[in-house]
Amino acid sequence: MRNTKVFIYTIAAVLFLISFIAMLIYGYKSFYIESDTNDSQDYKYHFALIAEETENDYWRLIEKGAKKAAAENGIQLEYVAPQKADNNELLRLLDTMISAKVDGIIVQGVEGKRFVDLVHKGNERQLPIITIDTDVKNSERKAYVGTDNHYAGQLAGTTIINNTTGDQYVGIVTGRLEAVNQQERIAGFKQAIKDHARIRVTSIKESNITEIGAAQATYALLKEYPQINALVGTSALDGIGMVEGLHEIAPNKEVYITSFDILPKTLQLIQTDKIDATIAQYPEEMGYQSVEAMIKLQQKALPDKQVYTKTEILNKQDAGGEIR
Ligand code: BGC
């Protein structure tokens, strides 16, 4: 009995010693890393960038540009986002960042009153908020940096007007119907084609800003409306997914495909004639310019509230050239 007790105590003492040593080693490590990256004493300002979705390639480019400007100007930049696109989660992050008292917030605009209220809350606390990629004009955001999304949608219309003949039955694959920039792109597209009776929108389906979602949406569109002979994708991964979806349901069908953005895979598909044209946005530039605008806002108001970054149509000739 006594021996058993001694044995148990010895084991407990050994376990305690091991975990104590481990705590010292790992505790020191994490403390070290934290103090290395979070020592705000060394930074002029601390900004937060709130993206639509963490691992989206397009948002990682925005982050890249923003981090570049931050590094050049002695700014600490924190990149946060919902794991998967989710407005409620994004709004919760925005609220948290307002309470965290950062010096500025750069955030994707989200439709609805809650966003407007949160921007107002930031304003009352003298915390400047800039929208990026998607604007919410009726909020008190200090500026918007990004594409003129209505114009970008018009460009998608222009490609179809100029490069097709005969009746065009258009299937639209859009990121998320509740995203303001997607709504603006679709509105711009419809406006561009409105005087061209041969081109009409047949149906619209969501991709949930994923490649697989875009493939499924395309499959469903063509199954339901076999007359579709033009596809337009309005967010960055839609074009890639549309090519897959079309390959699944109608591999030999001639469909005029217009996509959005210039992610490497999209450019490859243009090179191989799978995508006819894409509407280029410059996310790195958006990230970079948003941080520059936020720095200016720390001192005074910005004269220009709308900072539009470049948007253009790219097709095969352009995609072979130098593309940022
Ligand atoms: C849009 C972003 C969206 C992304 C999704 C881009 O075209 O501008 O709002 O998050 O596509 O991949």
Side-chain angles (χ1 to χ4, degrees), residues 14 16 33 39 59 91 96 103 158 163 176 179 186 191 200 205 208 221 225 248 272-273 281 289 291 298:
V14 170
F16 174 78
I33 291 168
D39 192 353
W59 282 98
L91 292 164
T96 308
D103 301 302
T158 309
N163 298 300
R176 296 190 303 140
I186 293 173
Q191 201 196 18
R200 61 215 101 156
K205 288 202 192 293
N208 242 321
L221 277 171
Y225 308 97
E248 284 301 313
T272 50
D273 296 317
Q281 305 191 85
Q289 290 196 31
V291 169
Q298 301 298 310

Short mmCIF file of all heavy atoms in Angstrom, two decimals, residues 14 16 33 39 59 91 96 103 158 163 176 179 186 191 200 205 208 221 225 248 272-273 281 289 291 298:
data_model
loop_
_atom_site.label_atom_id
_atom_site.label_comp_id
_atom_site.label_asym_id
_atom_site.label_seq_id
_atom_site.Cartn_x
_atom_site.Cartn_y
_atom_site.Cartn_z
N VAL A 14 7.17 13.50 -11.42
CA VAL A 14 7.88 13.49 -12.72
C VAL A 14 7.04 14.20 -13.78
O VAL A 14 7.54 15.04 -14.54
CB VAL A 14 8.20 12.03 -13.15
CG1 VAL A 14 8.70 11.99 -14.58
CG2 VAL A 14 9.25 11.43 -12.22
N PHE A 16 4.75 16.41 -13.34
CA PHE A 16 4.71 17.85 -13.06
C PHE A 16 5.98 18.54 -13.58
O PHE A 16 5.93 19.57 -14.23
CB PHE A 16 4.56 18.07 -11.54
CG PHE A 16 4.67 19.53 -11.16
CD1 PHE A 16 3.59 20.39 -11.37
CD2 PHE A 16 5.85 20.04 -10.62
CE1 PHE A 16 3.69 21.73 -11.04
CE2 PHE A 16 5.95 21.39 -10.30
CZ PHE A 16 4.88 22.24 -10.50
N ILE A 33 7.60 35.31 -29.59
CA ILE A 33 7.02 35.62 -30.89
C ILE A 33 6.05 36.79 -30.76
O ILE A 33 6.10 37.74 -31.53
CB ILE A 33 6.29 34.39 -31.47
CG1 ILE A 33 7.33 33.33 -31.84
CG2 ILE A 33 5.49 34.76 -32.71
CD1 ILE A 33 6.74 31.99 -32.15
N ASP A 39 4.72 44.40 -30.76
CA ASP A 39 5.19 45.53 -29.98
C ASP A 39 4.81 46.83 -30.67
O ASP A 39 5.56 47.38 -31.48
CB ASP A 39 6.72 45.41 -29.83
CG ASP A 39 7.20 46.38 -28.79
OD1 ASP A 39 6.37 47.18 -28.32
OD2 ASP A 39 8.39 46.33 -28.45
N TRP A 59 -8.17 38.30 -52.03
CA TRP A 59 -7.98 39.10 -50.80
C TRP A 59 -6.54 39.02 -50.32
O TRP A 59 -6.03 39.95 -49.69
CB TRP A 59 -8.98 38.67 -49.73
CG TRP A 59 -10.32 39.27 -50.04
CD1 TRP A 59 -11.37 38.65 -50.66
CD2 TRP A 59 -10.75 40.62 -49.79
NE1 TRP A 59 -12.41 39.53 -50.81
CE2 TRP A 59 -12.05 40.74 -50.27
CE3 TRP A 59 -10.14 41.73 -49.19
CZ2 TRP A 59 -12.77 41.94 -50.19
CZ3 TRP A 59 -10.84 42.91 -49.11
CH2 TRP A 59 -12.14 43.01 -49.61
N LEU A 91 -19.19 41.59 -39.78
CA LEU A 91 -19.67 42.71 -38.96
C LEU A 91 -19.21 42.55 -37.51
O LEU A 91 -18.88 43.53 -36.84
CB LEU A 91 -21.20 42.80 -39.04
CG LEU A 91 -21.72 43.22 -40.43
CD1 LEU A 91 -23.21 42.91 -40.58
CD2 LEU A 91 -21.46 44.70 -40.68
N THR A 96 -15.49 44.29 -33.20
CA THR A 96 -14.35 43.98 -32.32
C THR A 96 -13.20 44.94 -32.57
O THR A 96 -12.57 45.43 -31.63
CB THR A 96 -13.86 42.52 -32.60
OG1 THR A 96 -14.97 41.66 -32.52
CG2 THR A 96 -12.79 42.09 -31.63
N ASP A 103 -6.02 52.37 -34.93
CA ASP A 103 -6.03 53.75 -35.41
C ASP A 103 -6.83 53.92 -36.70
O ASP A 103 -7.13 55.04 -37.11
CB ASP A 103 -4.59 54.23 -35.66
CG ASP A 103 -3.76 54.14 -34.39
OD1 ASP A 103 -4.15 54.77 -33.40
OD2 ASP A 103 -2.75 53.41 -34.39
N THR A 158 -19.64 45.39 -72.56
CA THR A 158 -18.95 45.84 -73.78
C THR A 158 -18.25 44.68 -74.49
O THR A 158 -18.28 44.60 -75.73
CB THR A 158 -17.90 46.91 -73.40
OG1 THR A 158 -18.54 47.89 -72.62
CG2 THR A 158 -17.28 47.55 -74.63
N ASN A 163 -17.70 41.53 -79.24
CA ASN A 163 -17.05 40.30 -79.71
C ASN A 163 -17.99 39.15 -80.07
O ASN A 163 -17.52 38.02 -80.30
CB ASN A 163 -16.04 39.82 -78.67
CG ASN A 163 -14.94 40.85 -78.47
OD1 ASN A 163 -14.23 41.18 -79.41
ND2 ASN A 163 -14.84 41.38 -77.26
N ARG A 176 -21.81 36.54 -54.66
CA ARG A 176 -22.90 36.43 -53.69
C ARG A 176 -23.92 37.52 -54.00
O ARG A 176 -23.55 38.68 -54.15
CB ARG A 176 -22.38 36.59 -52.26
CG ARG A 176 -21.41 35.48 -51.87
CD ARG A 176 -21.08 35.51 -50.39
NE ARG A 176 -20.52 36.79 -50.00
CZ ARG A 176 -20.82 37.42 -48.86
NH1 ARG A 176 -21.68 36.90 -48.02
NH2 ARG A 176 -20.25 38.57 -48.57
N ALA A 179 -23.78 40.66 -51.97
CA ALA A 179 -22.61 41.53 -51.98
C ALA A 179 -22.87 42.73 -52.88
O ALA A 179 -23.25 42.58 -54.04
CB ALA A 179 -21.39 40.76 -52.47
N ILE A 186 -23.59 43.58 -61.85
CA ILE A 186 -24.72 43.06 -62.64
C ILE A 186 -25.54 44.24 -63.20
O ILE A 186 -25.92 44.24 -64.37
CB ILE A 186 -25.60 42.12 -61.79
CG1 ILE A 186 -24.81 40.86 -61.45
CG2 ILE A 186 -26.89 41.75 -62.52
CD1 ILE A 186 -25.49 39.91 -60.48
N GLN A 191 -27.10 47.50 -67.80
CA GLN A 191 -27.21 48.82 -68.42
C GLN A 191 -26.49 48.85 -69.78
O GLN A 191 -27.01 49.39 -70.76
CB GLN A 191 -26.64 49.89 -67.50
CG GLN A 191 -27.19 51.24 -67.88
CD GLN A 191 -26.40 52.38 -67.29
OE1 GLN A 191 -25.25 52.19 -66.87
NE2 GLN A 191 -27.00 53.53 -67.26
N ARG A 200 -29.46 39.20 -74.03
CA ARG A 200 -30.29 39.29 -72.82
C ARG A 200 -29.85 38.32 -71.74
O ARG A 200 -29.25 37.28 -72.04
CB ARG A 200 -31.78 39.12 -73.16
CG ARG A 200 -32.15 37.80 -73.78
CD ARG A 200 -33.26 37.97 -74.79
NE ARG A 200 -32.68 37.97 -76.14
CZ ARG A 200 -33.35 37.64 -77.22
NH1 ARG A 200 -34.61 37.36 -77.17
NH2 ARG A 200 -32.75 37.61 -78.39
N LYS A 205 -26.99 32.86 -61.17
CA LYS A 205 -26.82 31.93 -60.03
C LYS A 205 -25.56 32.29 -59.25
O LYS A 205 -24.61 32.83 -59.80
CB LYS A 205 -26.73 30.48 -60.52
CG LYS A 205 -28.06 29.94 -61.01
CD LYS A 205 -28.11 28.43 -60.97
CE LYS A 205 -29.32 27.88 -61.73
NZ LYS A 205 -30.61 28.19 -61.11
N ASN A 208 -20.99 31.55 -54.47
CA ASN A 208 -20.48 31.64 -53.10
C ASN A 208 -19.00 31.95 -53.05
O ASN A 208 -18.29 31.49 -52.17
CB ASN A 208 -20.74 30.33 -52.36
CG ASN A 208 -21.64 30.60 -51.19
OD1 ASN A 208 -21.48 31.64 -50.53
ND2 ASN A 208 -22.58 29.72 -50.94
N LEU A 221 -27.07 26.15 -64.58
CA LEU A 221 -27.57 27.12 -65.58
C LEU A 221 -27.79 26.45 -66.93
O LEU A 221 -28.84 26.61 -67.56
CB LEU A 221 -26.56 28.27 -65.74
CG LEU A 221 -26.61 29.40 -64.73
CD1 LEU A 221 -25.41 30.34 -64.90
CD2 LEU A 221 -27.91 30.20 -64.84
N TYR A 225 -31.22 25.96 -68.74
CA TYR A 225 -31.38 26.82 -69.93
C TYR A 225 -30.35 26.44 -70.99
O TYR A 225 -29.32 27.10 -71.13
CB TYR A 225 -31.20 28.29 -69.56
CG TYR A 225 -32.05 28.74 -68.40
CD1 TYR A 225 -31.53 28.79 -67.11
CD2 TYR A 225 -33.38 29.13 -68.59
CE1 TYR A 225 -32.31 29.20 -66.04
CE2 TYR A 225 -34.17 29.53 -67.53
CZ TYR A 225 -33.62 29.56 -66.26
OH TYR A 225 -34.40 29.96 -65.19
N GLU A 248 -18.07 19.89 -67.90
CA GLU A 248 -18.86 18.77 -67.39
C GLU A 248 -20.15 18.56 -68.19
O GLU A 248 -20.48 17.46 -68.58
CB GLU A 248 -19.28 19.02 -65.93
CG GLU A 248 -18.20 18.82 -64.90
CD GLU A 248 -17.64 17.41 -64.93
OE1 GLU A 248 -18.47 16.48 -64.94
OE2 GLU A 248 -16.40 17.25 -64.95
N THR A 272 -5.29 29.60 -73.20
CA THR A 272 -5.68 28.35 -73.86
C THR A 272 -7.08 28.45 -74.50
O THR A 272 -7.72 27.42 -74.76
CB THR A 272 -5.63 27.18 -72.86
OG1 THR A 272 -6.35 27.57 -71.69
CG2 THR A 272 -4.22 26.83 -72.47
N ASP A 273 -7.56 29.68 -74.67
CA ASP A 273 -8.84 29.95 -75.34
C ASP A 273 -10.06 29.40 -74.63
O ASP A 273 -11.11 29.19 -75.24
CB ASP A 273 -8.84 29.42 -76.79
CG ASP A 273 -7.81 30.14 -77.63
OD1 ASP A 273 -7.73 31.37 -77.52
OD2 ASP A 273 -7.08 29.46 -78.39
N GLN A 281 -9.05 43.70 -62.34
CA GLN A 281 -8.98 44.63 -61.21
C GLN A 281 -7.55 44.52 -60.68
O GLN A 281 -6.87 43.55 -60.95
CB GLN A 281 -9.90 44.20 -60.07
CG GLN A 281 -11.34 43.98 -60.37
CD GLN A 281 -12.12 43.83 -59.06
OE1 GLN A 281 -12.52 44.81 -58.45
NE2 GLN A 281 -12.32 42.61 -58.62
N GLN A 289 -2.97 51.43 -51.87
CA GLN A 289 -3.55 52.78 -51.80
C GLN A 289 -4.45 52.99 -50.58
O GLN A 289 -4.57 54.10 -50.08
CB GLN A 289 -4.34 53.08 -53.07
CG GLN A 289 -3.43 53.24 -54.28
CD GLN A 289 -4.14 53.90 -55.45
OE1 GLN A 289 -5.04 54.71 -55.26
NE2 GLN A 289 -3.75 53.56 -56.65
N VAL A 291 -3.95 51.83 -47.58
CA VAL A 291 -3.09 52.16 -46.43
C VAL A 291 -2.58 53.60 -46.56
O VAL A 291 -2.58 54.37 -45.59
CB VAL A 291 -1.93 51.15 -46.29
CG1 VAL A 291 -0.90 51.61 -45.27
CG2 VAL A 291 -2.48 49.79 -45.88
N GLN A 298 -5.07 60.11 -40.89
CA GLN A 298 -4.68 60.28 -39.48
C GLN A 298 -4.41 61.76 -39.20
O GLN A 298 -4.52 62.21 -38.07
CB GLN A 298 -3.42 59.47 -39.16
CG GLN A 298 -3.56 57.98 -39.40
CD GLN A 298 -4.63 57.32 -38.53
OE1 GLN A 298 -4.66 57.52 -37.32
NE2 GLN A 298 -5.52 56.56 -39.15
#
